[in-house]
């Protein structure tokens, strides 16, 4: 999922940002950096959630 968001975000930035003349270049860069930071945080949160789910499953299998 984060990979799809990364590809989508990159595509939208490449397509839309050069056409937007209402905001400065600095604001455009900040927007891109924040979006990528959110995607990276999402990636790590999903990895942590998967790891916790696997640990729970292993604990359940151990106790049976």
């Amino acid at each position: 999922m984060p990979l799809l968001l990364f590809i989508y975000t990159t595509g939208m930035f490449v397509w839309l940002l050069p056409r937007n003349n209402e905001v400065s270049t600095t604001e455009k860069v900040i927007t891109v950096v924040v979006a990528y930071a959110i995607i990276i945080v999402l990636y790590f949160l999903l990895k942590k959630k998967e790891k916790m789910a696997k640990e729970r499953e292993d604990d359940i299998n151990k106790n049976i």
Side-chain angles (χ1 to χ4, degrees), residues 13 16-36:
F13 287 141
L16 292 175
L17 286 182
R19 299 168 191 225
N20 187 352
N21 296 324
E22 296 176 8
V23 295
S24 68
T25 303
T26 306
E27 289 175 312
K28 292 176 186 179
V29 170
I30 290 172
T31 303
V32 172
V33 169
V34 169
Y36 286 152

Side-chain angles (χ1 to χ4, degrees), residues 3-63:
L3 179 62
L4 292 175
L5 284 172
F6 179 79
I7 292 169
Y8 173 78
T9 303
T10 302
M12 289 296 102
F13 287 141
V14 168
W15 187 55
L16 292 175
L17 286 182
R19 299 168 191 225
N20 187 352
N21 296 324
E22 296 176 8
V23 295
S24 68
T25 303
T26 306
E27 289 175 312
K28 292 176 186 179
V29 170
I30 290 172
T31 303
V32 172
V33 169
V34 169
Y36 286 152
I38 291 170
I39 292 170
I40 290 168
V41 168
L42 175 64
Y43 171 77
F44 285 113
L45 288 175
L46 288 174
K47 286 292 230 180
K48 184 176 179 179
K49 182 179 176 183
E50 289 173 0
K51 181 181 175 184
M52 289 175 64
K54 185 172 178 357
E55 288 174 358
R56 275 191 231 114
E57 186 178 319
D58 291 344
D59 285 344
I60 289 171
N61 290 337
K62 252 190 233 179
N63 292 332

